[in-house]
Amino acid sequence: MKIGFIGLGNMGAPMAANLAKAGHEVTGFDLVSDPPAGVARADSAAAAATGAEVVVTMLPDGAILRAVADAIHPAMAPGAVHLDCSTVDVDSARDVARRAEERGLRPMDAPVSGGVGGAQAGTLTFMAGGAPETYAIVAPLFDIMGKKAVLCGGPGAGQSAKICNNMILGATMLATCEAFALADKLGLDRQAMFDVVSTSSGYSWTMNAYCPAPGVGPQSPADNGYEPGFAAGLMLKDLRLAQAAAEATGAATPIGAAATAEYARFAEEEGGAGRDFSAVLPWLSGRSRSE
Ligand code: NAD
């Protein structure tokens, strides 16, 4: 397939490289980064999109996605697919999809989970929103870049699934860390706490697979000085997208709102943005109830 790839950052570069390695003809563009091995360089986003059957975008946010979409859609041939893998707000995803459809293009939002490690290893999970016929066209690309893909519904459904998942993730991580901080104050051994909770009704992915306490449970960023992993700043981005969606739809999300406020305090006010999102454990343990 002839593929254009726009946004060759931490995630985009290894994803584009994997598509090229699998034999696709990939042309990339980024404002700053050089294309990885096997990916040809274009001088503009429009040039990368010209003649491509699929154009993948992997960009920082919704405003940039909208601007890039305005630049590439006129260059794309009718029937070509715009596959956006960025994590953006649901409104931007739907708006970009609508504008693509007006031009006879096939839009699909497909944000990912799995992080930079998953992008490099080709083991990402894709949450897709768009038409089933479009999904059928890009499914072989999901197979190369990832290990799992789910078609969640129409335009914006991929972004919706991603922010709902990550709202649970952020809230659950905070709850898990709070429980460890309380257990510490109660004089409860962290290993005993893990052994009980991981096999009781308080179990979760954050406890069982990504335990925030160093030396307890499986290997996780806690065992590596809280190097990410999944950075607290990115967790905050996703929690804010969930809050924006809750505002727009009138959904009640009191725990999601509280998690957003805590991660904002940790990541922005107290400099934790670049640490793993499980580093809220030492942060909470060091805090008193009144702080
Ligand atoms: P990044 O900042 O490393 O990469 C984004 C790239 O987009 C940069 O190289 C930047 O130069 C480029 N860019 C910005 N504006 C551009 C434009 N107008 N034209 C062309 N290129 C432009 O970010 P990342 O970590 O690769 O993340 C990309 C997306 O994936 C984000 O939406 C992020 O939320 C999401 N995501 C990231 C992770 C992760 O662990 N890093 C995990 C899941 C999802």
Side-chain angles (χ1 to χ4, degrees):
M1 231 182 233
K2 205 166 169 329
I3 298 172
F5 206 114
I6 297 154
L8 301 167
N10 292 322
M11 297 291 290
M15 291 164 72
N18 283 336
L19 291 173
K21 240 182 271 163
H24 292 290
E25 190 187 325
V26 187
T27 303
F29 174 73
D30 191 290
L31 286 180
V32 178
S33 309
D34 290 325
V39 175
R41 178 198 301 272
D43 290 336
S44 67
T50 302
E53 295 157 81
V54 175
V55 180
V56 185
T57 47
M58 193 54 172
L59 297 162
D61 61 39
I64 294 173
L65 169 65
R66 286 171 190 256
V68 168
D70 284 345
I72 62 175
H73 287 177
M76 291 169 68
V81 177
H82 177 188
L83 177 63
D84 178 47
C85 296
S86 329
T87 303
V88 303
D89 57 288
V90 177
D91 279 352
S92 292
R94 289 189 176 146
D95 202 42
V96 164
R98 185 182 47 75
R99 286 194 256 166
E101 275 165 357
E102 282 168 6
R103 288 186 176 272
L105 304 172
R106 301 176 197 271
M108 174 148 284
D109 55 289
V112 303
S113 76
V116 177
Q120 288 166 344
T123 55
L124 295 169
T125 295
F126 289 86
M127 294 149 257
E133 308 80 61
T134 308
Y135 185 81
I137 296 170
V138 296
L141 306 184
F142 291 152
D143 287 343
I144 295 164
M145 296 185 285
K147 65 169 176 8
K148 170 123 184 110
V150 179
L151 179 58
C152 303
Q159 300 294 350
S160 302
K162 162 113 188 170
I163 59 175
C164 288
N165 179 73
N166 281 17
M167 187 171 77
I168 296 172
L169 178 63
T172 311
M173 179 57 85
L174 277 170
T176 303
C177 292
E178 274 183 19
F180 268 118
L182 173 60
D184 289 347
K185 293 269 193 288
L186 292 168
L188 183 61
D189 178 60
R190 285 184 168 184
Q191 184 64 51
M193 164 88 172
F194 175 84
D195 290 345
V196 170
V197 174
S198 65
T199 53
S200 300
S201 46
Y203 85 101
S204 64
W205 185 84
T206 58
M207 176 61 87
N208 292 37
Y210 203 97
C211 183
V216 176
Q219 277 286 316
S220 69
D223 301 307
N224 188 28
Y226 295 100
E227 285 290 313
F230 184 41
L234 287 174
M235 182 79 253
L236 177 59
K237 173 189 173 182
D238 293 354
L239 286 167
R240 284 193 169 138
L241 291 175
Q243 286 306 293
E247 278 284 330
T249 56
T253 55
I255 303 296
T260 309
E262 288 300 319
Y263 271 105
R265 182 173 164 186
F266 176 65
E268 290 181 341
E269 293 167 39
E270 304 193 16
R275 303 189 78 196
D276 189 72
F277 81 122
S278 60
V280 288
L281 173 54
W283 177 67
L284 282 172
S285 314
R287 222 162 101 184
S288 68
R289 185 163 177 77
S290 56
E291 281 177 83

